Amino acid sequence: MPDNLSFVLKRVNTVTFEQRPIPDIGSHEVLVEVKKTGICGSDVHYLLHGRIGDYVLENGKDMVLGHESSGVIAKVGSLVSHLKPGDRVSIEPGATCRTCVACKEGRYELCPSVRFAATPPVDGTLGRYYAVPSDLAYPLPSGLSLEDGAMIEPLSVAVHAVAKLGNFRTSQSIAIFGCGPVGLLCMAVAKAFGASRVIAVDIVSHRLEFAKSYAATDTFIPPLLEQGETNVEFSKRAATLMKVELGIAEQGAQGIDLVVDASGAETSIQTGIRIVKSGGTYVQVGLGRPEITIDMSTVVCKQLTVKGSFRYGPGDYPLAISLVAQGKVDLRPLVSHRFSFQDALLAFETTRNGKGSDGKGVIKTIISGPGVEVSEL
């Protein structure tokens, strides 16, 4: 086999290309030759800060970045019968213990022993090869590209938030705060499920324009924070304005059944809780400051169901693949920038800056694997 050139985070703001050992695989595992990897905000956060919450890259340790990947099977374990070398697959990048209470309850995303790619101290997928349990390598239907395969990971995050935890149904309405990749994919999932209304909320007008062209039926840009105004005061004013401008009611057909926050911004969270209908559901998928102010009297008096959404669980990857294969979700418009493996650092810098050298705003950046042409989709 060829080498295993990898893109390695050594410490904050320091990355390098290194040869890593080609992973050994067990009898139930497969070795994937990685072809396409999307850059997630968490990857950029580790590059800039070396940590996300309690997950910290320790001094003297390093880590291969990347977790949104697809590739081609290079080798299969002795007991793997449903995959073979040459099969194109999407990689689910979190291997769980399969024996804890969470795993046995069918909520393996909550497994305390999960080994998740590019989450310290576990290496990620930005290398030539990545080993994974065979049931976490999902065959790609013929109509899906390898770029689609890499985008299945963030789409599964959206499926988990909207379809599974949000329990979204046909003819319901949804408001989504944040028009980054996950927010846009939440809109796409809601549209695929037959939403009557998909409201996109963001503070950047060109993001809202894209959201409207992609999956949203309505858009809202919050007002500016006034001098001396607290976040709570602002969110009350923004919620009132949003209800008036978009004709949102507290109950009935004009109510918002589900709110998903994909921004992590405190004011978005506060506003979302205020505009969801009485008895509605609020799902938090975006990560921001860990400690914020929430009006619990609103949560209680409106009898809201409030949930946190963490990664994805059983059935989310297959549903995501099915939505794309059926043409109900189109992932291609979200890929705004593409880079070769040797330009991985430039890819990260472009994502961090939010704009490429072409002047085009970044939605999703894809890095091709070692020796893979950027044009190879």
Side-chain angles (χ1 to χ4, degrees):
M1 285 185 176
D3 56 24
N4 188 27
L5 187 63
S6 303
F7 188 63
V8 183
L9 176 64
K10 305 299 289 187
R11 57 184 180 275
V12 172
N13 281 322
T14 302
V15 290
T16 187
F17 293 100
E18 287 185 359
Q19 291 292 345
R20 289 296 179 96
I22 296 173
D24 294 324
I25 59 171
S27 59
H28 289 282
E29 294 181 320
V30 296
L31 186 67
V32 181
E33 185 172 358
V34 179
K35 298 294 186 180
K36 301 290 178 178
T37 298
I39 297 180
C40 175
S42 65
D43 294 313
V44 177
H45 201 86
Y46 279 121
L47 174 63
L48 297 179
H49 305 287
R51 67 181 301 158
I52 295 178
D54 294 332
Y55 300 106
V56 182
L57 184 65
E58 297 178 2
N59 290 333
K61 302 288 186 179
D62 57 22
M63 179 179 75
V64 178
L65 291 167
H67 64 272
E68 301 179 0
S69 294
S70 66
V72 174
I73 298 293
K75 184 180 179 181
V76 301
S78 60
L79 297 179
V80 176
S81 59
H82 68 291
L83 293 169
K84 64 184 184 303
D87 286 348
R88 301 177 317 126
V89 295
S90 178
I91 301 170
E92 182 173 349
T96 57
C97 75
R98 304 169 187 263
T99 61
C100 70
V101 172
C103 285
K104 289 190 171 183
E105 285 180 345
R107 297 192 295 173
Y108 64 66
E109 67 274 19
L110 301 180
C111 174
S113 302
V114 63
R115 292 179 54 80
F116 197 87
T119 300
V122 182
D123 281 334
T125 57
L126 271 172
R128 189 183 299 273
Y129 293 109
Y130 189 75
V132 66
S134 62
D135 60 319
L136 299 183
Y138 297 85
L140 292 175
S142 59
L144 272 65
S145 69
L146 287 163
E147 282 193 351
D148 290 333
M151 290 289 290
I152 294 300
E153 198 275 350
L155 179 57
S156 296
V157 172
V159 165
H160 190 68
V162 175
K164 181 172 289 185
L165 297 181
N167 198 31
F168 197 72
R169 296 290 181 265
T170 300
S171 297
Q172 288 188 326
S173 58
I174 186 172
I176 296 161
F177 288 75
C179 293
V182 170
L184 291 166
L185 289 168
C186 285
M187 298 173 207
V189 171
K191 181 180 179 180
F193 271 65
S196 60
R197 196 178 194 188
V198 179
I199 301 172
V201 185
D202 204 287
I203 60 174
V204 181
S205 58
H206 71 78
R207 287 189 174 189
L208 290 174
E209 291 168 4
F210 181 85
K212 187 70 177 289
S213 70
Y214 183 60
T217 60
D218 302 87
T219 63
F220 178 76
I221 188 163
L224 296 175
L225 186 70
E226 295 180 349
Q227 186 174 1
E229 189 175 33
T230 67
N231 282 353
V232 171
E233 291 168 341
F234 169 82
S235 68
K236 289 179 179 180
R237 181 166 63 89
T240 299
L241 183 61
M242 189 173 175
K243 288 178 179 180
V244 171
E245 285 192 9
L246 298 180
I248 295 172
E250 192 61 43
Q251 296 181 344
Q254 298 304 310
I256 304 299
D257 298 286
L258 173 63
V259 167
V260 175
D261 178 71
S263 73
E266 181 177 33
T267 52
S268 294
I269 297 167
Q270 293 166 341
T271 305
I273 286 173
R274 295 183 187 283
I275 63 106
V276 69
K277 75 176 188 180
S278 294
T281 299
Y282 175 95
V283 174
Q284 185 65 39
V285 66
L287 284 175
R289 291 196 301 111
E291 296 181 5
I292 64 170
T293 299
I294 294 177
D295 185 350
M296 289 306 296
S297 65
T298 299
V299 173
V300 171
C301 293
K302 292 174 69 171
Q303 199 167 300
L304 301 181
T305 299
V306 179
K307 298 180 179 180
S309 183
F310 189 55
R311 295 174 180 159
Y312 26 74
D316 292 331
Y317 255 71
L319 178 53
I321 292 172
S322 179
L323 290 174
V324 180
Q326 294 178 60
K328 293 182 177 181
V329 171
D330 186 1
L331 297 172
R332 293 169 296 177
L334 300 186
V335 181
S336 58
H337 294 79
R338 298 175 174 89
F339 292 87
S340 64
F341 192 77
Q342 57 263 34
D343 288 331
L345 178 57
L346 180 58
F348 271 76
E349 291 173 345
T350 298
T351 303
R352 179 183 62 188
N353 294 333
K355 184 178 291 187
S357 59
D358 55 3
K360 185 178 178 183
V362 173
I363 302 175
K364 177 60 69 173
T365 299
I366 297 287
I367 301 173
S368 294
V372 179
E373 295 293 331
V374 172
S375 59
E376 183 183 334
L377 304 180

